[in-house]
Structure formats: C-alpha cells, structure tokens
Amino acid sequence: MMKRFILASLAVVLLLAGMGYLVYYRGIYVDFKPEVSVTANFRTQGKEIQYLDGDTWKTMEIRGVDLSSNIPGEAMLDFVPTYEDYTRWLEQIGEIGANTIRVYTVMAADFYEALYDYNTTKEKPLYLLQGLSVPDRANYGAEDIYQEEFVDLLLENGIKAVDVIHGNRAIELGDFTGTGWYQWDVSPWTLGYLLGHEWDSGIIAYTNNSTLGETSYQGTYFYTKPEATRFETAMAKLMDQVTAYESNKYKEQRLISFVNSPWDDPFAYDTLYNARFDTYNQVDMEHIGASAELLSGYFASYRLETLCPDYQKYFTQAQRAELGELLTGLETGDLYSGYLTLLNRYHTVPVAAVGFGFSTARMPVVENHPPLNEQRQGEALVELWQKMRGAGWIGGYVSTWQDVWDRNTWNTVYANYSLGVDNWQDVQTDGQNYGLMQFWLGSGEGVCTVDGNAAEWQGKEPVWSSDGMDLYMDYDEKYLYFYVDGFSPEKDVLYLPIDTTPKTGSTYWEEKKISFERGCDFVVTIDGKDNSRVLVQERYESLWIMYAYETAYENPYEQDNWREKDSPVFRPIRSILEWSEPKAVGHWVAMPTYETGKLRYGNADPDSPAFDSLADFCFTADGVEMRIPWGLLNFSNPAEKMIHDDYYKHYGVEYMQIDEMFVGAAVAGHTQGRISMASFPLEGWEKHTEYHERLKKSYDVLQAAWSGR
C-alpha cells in the first residue's frame, strides 16, 4: 500500500509539474469562462487615444521615453540592470514629466517588479508600451519575414509579453527576452504592444516579392484590404494573433501597432529621391482594417529618421494626384512640420512617434546638421515634440533614456573594434550619444574637467618638460586629457605632436617647416579660440582610405594617389556625411564632409553656467586644458590599446595594439631644432564593476517643457 501511495503521489507531483510547465513556461491555457465579456481600458477614438478613468474616458497625450537594459560594459541582452537601477530610472523618468515608457522587448523580471512598485505608490503612474521584437540576426539575416526563426519567434515573444504584463509567466532562457519569474501584474498600466523595433528594408522588400507569404488575411480582430502587401498581411496576422491570445485568455484588449519609418512610409517618390534615401518600400497601416470585435484600437507608429526638407517636390505625379487636397497648405522649408502634418492627414487612425531623438556626439551624420550640445539636444527635442502636437500627433517617445555604448553608425563603424561588449564610449559616434543620461566609469571622481582651472593637475608629474613648458596627460573611457602650461594661450600658437603608431608618421611638417624627434601621426594646433584643430599625417587619414572615391573620385591605392609612410603633409581630419538633399543620378557627385578635427572652445564643467558639453579645450591663465576623443586619434578600442594599423599594408582598416604613445609641445616661433617628445604609457583597462550616471542638460530642458517648470 505504501509503495502504491508513493507512486501515486509521485504521479500527482509530476502531473502538477507538467501542468505548471505548460501554463507558466509555454502559455498553454483553457478558457473556462467563454461567456465573460472582453474589456479594454485603453482605446482609440477618431485620432485620439483615450484611457478609462473610473467610468469616464479621457484623452491621453503620450509623453514617453524609450528605456533599455544598456549599461557600460554589458550586453543589452544580458539584462544586467537590477531592481534598484530600474527603480531609480523610473523615478527620474517620472520627474521629467513623462507619462509612458517604451521597452523594445520583454525585459528582465526586475523591471516589471520596479514598474509595479512605482505605479502602486505614485499618484501619477507611468504607462507601458511593450515592444515585441526579434534579434538582429533575424531582422538583418533572414530572407523574409516568413522564415520560421522570424515570424514564429515574433509571435512567441508576443505571447510571452502578454503573459508577462499580466504577471503570469516564467522565462528560463529567453531568445531576445529577459528571464525570471514574472508575477507582477502591470496590465492596468500597459497601454499596448508594438511590433518591431526597426524593420530592415531588405526584409520588407524580400517579403513583398516572395511567393511563400499570404496575400490577404481575415482574422477575428484584424483583416487586410485588397491593396495590402505580403509584409502588411504578416503584420495584420501577428496583430490579430496577439490580440486574440490576450482577449481569450485574460478577457482584455490593448492598443497595438507596428513600427514604420520615413524610409518605408506610404508615399511614392520619384527615382531621384528613392536612390538617395533607399525608399524602395511602401508600408501602409491604412491597408489594415479592424472588425467590430476590436474594442481597444490600433494606431500608426513612425520612427522619425532623417528627412529631406523639400520631400514634397519629389512625389511622383500619381502620388501627388492621389494625395490631392491633403497637400494643401503644408509648410515648406521645415525639416519636420509639413511631413508630420501630411502623415496625420493621410492616416485615419492616431499617429505616434515611437522614437525621436538627437545625438550629443561630436560628429554629425548629415550635412547642414551640426553637432548638438546637451542644451541644444533638449531644445531640439522640445521643438520636435511641439511640432508633433501642432501636426495632430498623439505624442511620442524620446529615444533614448540612456546612452548606448555598443551602437554603431555607418560613418564610424569601420573605425571601431571590439571583441564582445564595449567598455568605452566613442563620443564621435552618433548612435552612442542619444541618451538623456550618460555613464562614466568609476565611482564618481572624474579624471579631468576641462574648465580652465588647473588645480586638479597640481601634484602630478608632467609627461614632458622643455623650455619652461610642462605637458601633463591622463585618460578615461571617453577622452585623452592634456594640460600644457608655460605659454601665453591668448597670443601664442601651440603645437602638440603625437606619435601613436610605429608603422607610419613624419618627422617633418612641411607647411610649418617644423621638425619632430619622432615620426608623428597627429599634430594638435591650439591657435586661439576659433582656429584650433587636430591634423593627421596624410598616410594615416582614414577618410581618404575609406572614402576617396566618394569624396574625390579617386582610388587611394593608385600610384599617383599613393601616400608615403613619411609624407610631410598633415591634413585636417574630416568625416563623411550623408546628403541632406537628393543628388542627380547617373553621374558622380562628391559626398559632403565635416571637419571633425576642428576643436571647440568652451567650459566642459556641467556645474558651470557656461557649460558646453561639446567643449574640447579651455584656456588657463598660462596654458590650456583639452580633451581629445580616442576615435579622433584613430583608436579603435582604447580599453585594449587598439589603434588603426598601416592602411596601405592591409589595403583598408585593420588593427594593432600599442603600449605607449609619444607626445611633445612647442610654441610657434620657438621651434628651433627638432621638437622633443616623451613616452606616455598606456595601460588600457579591464571591465569596470563601478560606473556612475549623470543626467544631461537636455533632461532639464525637456523637464521644463513637460512639467511646466
């Protein structure tokens, strides 16, 4: 009897464990109450989003912020931030005046616990737009959306997300999702779901031209209209399946949408515009309809990318005729207003910006768009938000909350090297500097503040000394810092030769008739507040080696264009940019460039009323403080002491490791003989366990607009 009892008990335990696995790990359920009516606490009404407050529907304007799990030295998909981190960030996001947050995928369980605790203790909650995404390997590696690893994974993550926000899921090994036991029901504050973070245009094109996908769909909640493409059909089906799962299992519905962008907007452009902006797809939410069973609603979502101010003149004649009176009275010559107004007029559903932002990087990516410091970043965000409101949009999400160190941008991606996660920040790279908050490695004591106060250098040993001048150096994960004293900064012109690679470099600067003790790769010239810059020996100029054809219609490896190892020519450091306007198709046109080596004078102390986050140098009474970004000196990964190797040896950008660099200094007119140079050892750094955060000045600007402060 005892043996039978033990076996029976074991069978019950195994049965319960199996049922628990199916319910909490696989989302299996049985609808025991099919007669219960489905409800919705959020809905669309005309061009508005509304939320239910008691028995009253109230209009909601989205003031949102994108939040991710990025922190220094950790991969986003490792979901390292803790409950305490999310609690602190939610507090700060709430204080800025935001009412919603957007996450790209299912986060770690700590995030939902922090959100639950925040919303149950605050008078004003933070609503959630839950993203449903797939990894980049699928988005940029699949042939089309109908590959199993793409559409099935997207649906699986959508079902996980529904259970997660209802506090009814366990995820052990997530594929592009967090893990943990999700027991906090945040559904009362979940606004809806968003399919995708960004769609690869190639995926859309291949899907639309595939013979495998469905050309129409008729679901319980969503259906496609005759004009729908295969990609739009896939979106309709996924939206329907996610809505059906939540409606059947939880008897609730939420808003839903999928991401679009100006690259794939519903408008038809002529050949010139298409060639410039790669707008070879049209994705249109208007090709999807909703049945009467949908109580919540759906809306159109756009990531706001680079736009052409005169986009209207590039519409095809057929598109212009189709839009008709929608084009009447649109503003022209404005980067956004006319486009935002047209999109809102075009759509019959509400329109939201699911990602709009501006970078504080030193280097821009589009011509006629100069770099923005933190103050201007905030002002630009407020200006765009006000334009969205004026155009009738329901609001949007600032992208992003924090700087993201592992993002790459097309015009710097070749220059950086990393084996794993990034433990340094390239302040040159546009994509790494969109945050309202930045990170610094260490416990909080900065290496140097470039503010004209040399007190922090007292007690340190100079790296180099000569002719009454001293040169001091230090570095952190963003910059190399220099302090030179013993000259008159308002009158003298200062030269700082820098030798990084033993492979190349010149001992002579032909233009200035100056000689150096070592073969130099760079010369920093401090010539007043408005004429200071970093120059590169022409052999080591990455723009030439990467973009000689695009900028000069030349082949850098042809004999006539060959640059010698010891060439005495030093050139301004420039980066390549995108055109802001379409250029003629069929013949070569030089791509624009920007002198990123030009140095900006100012005070880099965040506590100063004169603070300028883009300041590179500041004069002291008898010298100068400066900070030079690692990337400006061809460092590809300073944490590992990696720099660019000789371009002509490898026919492109490869990398090498160094242990020291050499520096010196001289004042113009006092450069008799060779300028002496001294070694500055480089130790690099391992993964840091400590970092600190700083809210940018853009936070204060946005807070004033959103909170009325």
Side-chain angles (χ1 to χ4, degrees):
M1 291 292 291
M2 179 60 68
K3 184 177 181 180
R4 290 181 180 178
F5 175 77
I6 293 173
L7 291 174
S9 299
L10 181 60
V12 171
V13 170
L14 291 175
L15 177 63
L16 291 175
M19 292 176 61
Y21 172 78
L22 292 174
V23 170
Y24 293 107
Y25 285 88
R26 304 303 302 169
I28 304 300
Y29 70 96
V30 176
D31 186 0
F32 293 106
K33 297 180 180 180
E35 74 285 354
V36 174
S37 298
V38 176
T39 62
N41 290 330
F42 302 92
R43 73 179 185 183
T44 57
Q45 193 75 359
K47 302 298 272 301
E48 294 182 347
I49 283 182
Q50 297 180 339
Y51 67 98
L52 192 60
D53 184 6
D55 296 326
T56 305
W57 287 99
K58 294 184 177 180
T59 300
M60 178 180 178
E61 177 186 60
I62 295 175
R63 299 189 303 278
V65 176
D66 283 354
L67 177 64
S68 70
S69 58
N70 290 95
I71 59 173
E74 302 288 353
M76 182 187 75
L77 296 185
D78 286 342
F79 298 97
V80 175
T82 64
Y83 169 86
E84 289 73 23
D85 293 324
Y86 288 122
T87 297
R88 180 176 64 258
W89 295 343
L90 292 175
E91 289 278 352
Q92 292 168 326
I93 291 172
E95 289 173 359
I96 203 176
N99 59 11
T100 63
I101 51 175
R102 172 197 171 206
V103 295
Y104 303 138
T105 188
V106 171
M107 305 282 274
D110 281 350
F111 164 75
Y112 297 93
E113 180 183 6
L115 181 62
Y116 179 87
D117 288 347
Y118 180 92
N119 284 340
T120 53
T121 57
K122 299 293 183 181
E123 180 180 352
K124 294 182 179 180
L126 282 171
Y127 297 104
L128 172 67
L129 182 63
Q130 176 65 59
L132 314 176
S133 298
V134 294
D136 286 346
R137 68 175 184 273
N139 193 21
Y140 297 100
E143 292 182 4
D144 59 54
I145 198 174
Y146 290 106
Q147 283 194 217
E148 181 179 346
E149 68 171 0
F150 198 121
V151 68
D152 291 350
L153 180 58
L154 190 56
L155 177 59
E156 178 185 340
N157 287 340
I159 289 173
K160 284 181 184 177
V162 171
D163 288 335
V164 162
I165 67 115
H166 284 277
N168 191 35
R169 189 78 180 201
I171 303 177
E172 188 174 21
L173 292 175
D175 196 338
F176 202 64
T177 67
T179 58
W181 182 264
Y182 297 84
Q183 54 185 309
W184 296 276
D185 184 359
V186 297
S187 62
W189 309 286
T190 301
L191 182 67
Y193 306 101
L194 184 67
L195 291 173
H197 169 43
E198 62 181 34
W199 297 112
D200 175 51
S201 292
I203 285 286
I204 298 173
Y206 273 89
T207 299
N208 288 340
N209 288 280
S210 171
T211 59
L212 301 177
E214 300 166 278
T215 57
S216 65
Y217 178 76
Q218 180 68 54
T220 304
Y221 303 99
F222 291 99
Y223 63 89
T224 56
K225 299 175 184 179
E227 306 86 356
T229 64
R230 285 184 169 88
F231 181 81
E232 292 160 355
T233 300
M235 293 294 101
K237 185 175 182 178
L238 287 166
M239 290 165 63
D240 186 72
Q241 290 174 322
V242 171
T243 303
Y245 182 80
E246 185 168 30
S247 298
N248 294 333
K249 185 172 183 178
Y250 296 103
K251 307 302 179 183
E252 294 178 10
Q253 290 180 6
R254 275 164 184 80
L255 306 179
I256 196 165
S257 183
F258 65 83
V259 172
N260 202 352
S261 78
W263 292 339
D264 304 307
D265 68 24
F267 307 132
Y269 300 92
D270 65 24
T271 303
L272 181 62
Y273 193 95
N274 290 338
R276 159 64 186 86
F277 287 101
D278 291 330
T279 56
Y280 49 86
N281 297 307
Q282 290 176 261
V283 179
D284 193 345
M285 179 64 87
E286 295 300 313
H287 293 167
I288 298 174
S291 72
E293 299 296 317
L294 186 69
L295 303 179
S296 53
Y298 64 116
F299 57 98
S301 304
Y302 289 89
R303 297 171 64 241
L304 294 182
E305 307 282 358
T306 302
L307 301 173
C308 169
D310 294 326
Y311 70 97
Q312 298 174 57
K313 69 182 182 183
Y314 299 106
F315 283 148
T316 63
Q317 290 299 318
Q319 180 69 86
R320 192 176 299 279
E322 182 179 340
L323 293 173
E325 63 181 18
L326 294 182
L327 293 172
T328 304
L330 290 182
E331 295 182 41
T332 58
D334 183 284
L335 187 59
Y336 287 105
S337 293
Y339 185 78
L340 299 178
T341 300
L342 180 60
L343 276 176
N344 190 55
R345 290 178 181 177
Y346 177 81
H347 284 293
T348 60
V349 295
V351 185
V354 289
F356 69 99
F358 300 92
S359 178
T360 56
R362 287 187 77 257
M363 193 162 72
V365 293
V366 181
E367 66 173 335
N368 302 323
H369 290 251
L372 302 179
N373 63 18
E374 293 176 11
Q375 178 73 21
R376 279 295 301 136
Q377 178 195 33
E379 292 167 356
L381 288 170
V382 172
E383 289 168 8
L384 182 49
W385 173 63
Q386 291 172 339
K387 288 176 181 178
M388 286 189 293
R389 298 180 79 193
W393 288 39
I394 56 175
Y397 295 84
V398 172
S399 181
T400 58
W401 169 244
Q402 68 263 62
D403 281 348
V404 179
W405 289 14
D406 59 359
R407 281 185 176 175
N408 283 314
T409 303
W410 70 273
N411 62 347
T412 59
V413 65
Y414 71 87
N416 297 335
Y417 164 84
S418 178
L419 285 176
V421 296
D422 289 303
N423 204 29
W424 71 289
Q425 183 178 17
D426 185 7
V427 297
Q428 294 281 96
T429 295
D430 177 85
Q432 294 190 21
N433 297 273
Y434 274 80
L436 298 174
M437 179 182 72
Q438 64 176 183
F439 299 108
W440 293 81
L441 296 181
S443 60
E445 292 295 327
V447 169
C448 173
T449 301
V450 176
D451 58 357
N453 184 351
E456 60 200 327
W457 297 97
Q458 293 180 2
K460 296 183 178 181
E461 290 296 321
V463 174
W464 170 97
S465 297
S466 180
D467 297 329
M469 286 197 302
D470 295 314
L471 168 61
Y472 302 81
M473 288 181 64
D474 210 333
Y475 59 85
D476 60 20
E477 73 280 2
K478 294 179 175 63
Y479 303 96
L480 273 160
Y481 297 93
F482 300 81
Y483 170 53
V484 184
D485 70 349
F487 73 101
S488 175
E490 298 286 353
K491 299 177 181 179
D492 294 332
V493 176
L494 178 71
Y495 301 129
L496 273 77
I498 300 175
D499 173 23
T500 55
T501 168
K503 301 286 188 70
T504 59
S506 176
T507 58
Y508 183 63
W509 183 7
E510 186 175 60
E511 180 186 356
K512 301 296 183 181
K513 312 301 182 189
I514 298 174
S515 297
F516 312 112
E517 192 175 71
R518 301 181 58 87
C520 291
D521 306 291
F522 302 91
V523 177
V524 181
T525 303
I526 302 299
D527 183 9
K529 296 180 179 179
D530 300 317
N531 194 37
S532 296
R533 52 181 38 85
V534 183
L535 304 170
V536 61
Q537 194 246 9
E538 65 172 6
R539 171 94 170 198
Y540 209 36
E541 183 189 13
S542 64
L543 176 74
W544 173 252
I545 215 68
M546 291 299 299
Y547 295 108
Y549 176 82
E550 290 82 356
T551 59
Y553 205 56
E554 299 283 1
N555 180 346
Y557 301 107
E558 288 184 350
Q559 184 174 358
D560 291 344
N561 298 324
W562 193 269
R563 294 178 173 180
E564 299 298 331
K565 286 185 177 182
D566 59 351
S567 169
V569 177
F570 287 80
R571 298 180 181 274
I573 301 176
R574 306 191 71 86
S575 61
I576 196 167
L577 303 177
E578 293 179 357
W579 293 301
S580 61
E581 292 277 359
K583 301 298 180 183
V585 176
H587 65 277
W588 181 86
V589 178
M591 292 188 70
T593 61
Y594 172 81
E595 189 184 355
T596 185
K598 181 76 177 292
L599 299 179
R600 180 161 167 160
Y601 185 85
N603 190 326
D605 180 4
D607 295 327
S608 170
F611 172 60
D612 181 354
S613 63
L614 292 179
D616 297 309
F617 71 106
C618 191
F619 292 148
T620 65
D622 61 348
V624 63
E625 283 186 310
M626 71 184 84
R627 57 183 188 180
I628 306 297
W630 291 104
L632 198 60
L633 300 181
N634 287 349
F635 276 83
S636 55
N637 187 336
E640 300 179 24
K641 303 177 291 184
M642 301 294 289
I643 64 171
H644 294 188
D645 206 334
D646 181 3
Y647 302 137
Y648 282 84
K649 177 182 178 181
H650 298 282
Y651 290 90
V653 180
E654 294 293 338
Y655 311 104
M656 61 177 288
Q657 191 173 57
I658 60 174
D659 294 315
E660 61 182 341
M661 54 192 296
F662 293 84
V663 295
V667 172
H670 301 274
T671 55
Q672 297 178 356
R674 295 182 181 272
I675 298 176
S676 64
M677 301 178 69
S679 171
F680 178 67
L682 296 172
E683 297 180 0
W685 57 91
E686 300 294 331
K687 177 179 176 179
H688 276 60
T689 58
E690 287 186 310
Y691 66 88
H692 60 284
E693 303 161 353
R694 180 188 149 264
L695 295 175
K696 297 182 182 179
K697 294 302 179 183
S698 52
Y699 177 96
D700 300 331
V701 177
L702 191 59
Q703 183 183 58
W706 278 1
S707 299
R709 297 184 181 180

